[in-house]
Structure formats: structure tokens, C-alpha cells
Amino acid sequence: VLRLSETEAGPALRQLGLKKKDLLPDLARLPAATDAFNEASRIVGDWPTPLPMITSRFFLATLNLIEGIDGRFEEGPIRQADDLYRSATGFARRELNDPVVAALWNNRAVARLLLSSEENDLREVKRWLLRAAAITDSAGNPVLGARAAMINLIMLERSGF
């Protein structure tokens, strides 16, 4: 959402003590990263938690999301991201209070917001952002994905959604 509304982002970032570079990736490394995460997302192992599956699909979806919004809006990569986020959230159990899960719910909300403006989808987006915003570290501080979700909630409120 920050990429899409640069003018509104500054106050929200300052409010949460973040800089834009904390949230936006280095675009030069996307092609190699896409290949690596695509391969990793296909590994189904006897993991003690579903976090490896969640993480690989989260990153692959996020790379698709970035591709869909960087430069010009492209619906195809955003739809792929939405599908991958849906797949990853299928592995995210309620008991997972992890930074990757916070980022997953935040980014899934962003992808859905970009694809739809229907009232039901907007309610779902807000619910996912609130879920992400509630995830904290062991000291009770919001993790990075939670702070990004807070920024996105602020941006949605300011834009009238």
C-alpha cells in the first residue's frame, strides 16, 4: 500500500517509528529470489511445524505482488500472489504467533484489496489486517508485519475505506 500512496505514507511510518526502506525490498534481486522460493514452496517435508511451507509460499507470493504493483498495475501477478497467500494461510494455524504469519496476513490483505473493492472483501481485508496487527514478539512488541498491518489500517481509514 505504501508504494501506491506515497504522500500518505510518511505520517503513518513516523507514527510507528519506521522508515520506508524497512518495508520495501531490493527489486534487483527479484528474478533469482522468485526461482528459489518457487522451488522451496514445492518441498513437502516432515516439518515439526508448517512454518517452512508458510514462509516459502509467503515469499513467493510477495514477489508476485511486488511484480504486480511495481511500475504499473498488473492483475495477473497479483492474482497469483492472492492464490499463494491463500495456500500459505491454509497452513497457518491459530497457535502460530510468528512474524512470518503477521506479514502473511498483512500481505494477503493488500493483495485482496488491490483485486476487489466489494464491501465483503473490504471487511475481510480489515479482519486480516487486525489479525496481523495483533502478533507480537516475546517482549510484547508488535513484529514488523504487525506494524505494516497497522500502517495499512491507518491508510485505509484515511482513504475512507
Side-chain angles (χ1 to χ4, degrees):
V1 174
L2 289 177
R3 282 190 189 279
L4 301 177
S5 55
E6 295 282 335
T7 57
E8 296 290 325
L13 286 170
R14 282 192 298 281
Q15 186 176 349
L16 293 168
L18 294 171
K19 294 185 172 117
K20 194 163 96 171
K21 68 180 175 109
D22 294 330
L23 299 173
L24 299 178
D26 177 8
L27 297 177
R29 297 193 309 247
L30 288 183
T34 300
D35 287 343
F37 285 118
N38 189 36
E39 288 300 315
S41 72
R42 295 179 187 172
I43 299 171
V44 178
D46 189 19
W47 309 110
T49 73
L51 204 52
M53 296 298 293
I54 293 168
T55 303
S56 61
R57 291 171 191 212
F58 160 76
F59 279 113
L60 183 57
T62 300
L63 294 172
N64 278 290
L65 181 61
I66 291 167
E67 180 184 334
I69 63 174
D70 192 52
R72 62 188 172 99
F73 184 87
E74 294 183 50
E75 191 173 318
I78 297 170
R79 287 212 180 277
Q80 286 178 321
D82 189 47
D83 289 344
L84 284 162
Y85 287 134
R86 186 176 336 108
S87 171
T89 56
F91 290 100
R93 308 283 189 269
R94 242 182 297 138
E95 67 273 3
L96 279 178
N97 190 19
D98 189 275
V100 173
V101 175
L104 169 64
W105 285 113
N106 174 71
N107 289 15
R108 184 172 185 201
V110 170
R112 180 60 54 85
L113 180 65
L114 292 171
L115 293 172
S116 177
S117 60
E118 293 181 18
E119 190 64 35
N120 287 339
D121 284 334
L122 291 175
R123 277 195 296 274
E124 195 168 48
V125 161
K126 289 177 184 176
R127 193 175 79 240
W128 293 341
L129 290 172
L130 288 169
R131 180 181 292 173
I135 296 179
T136 60
D137 62 18
S138 59
N141 300 313
V143 296
L144 183 61
R147 291 186 288 168
M150 290 175 201
I151 290 170
N152 288 331
L153 283 165
I154 292 167
M155 306 281 285
L156 284 176
E157 184 178 316
R158 287 184 181 167
S159 65
F161 282 108

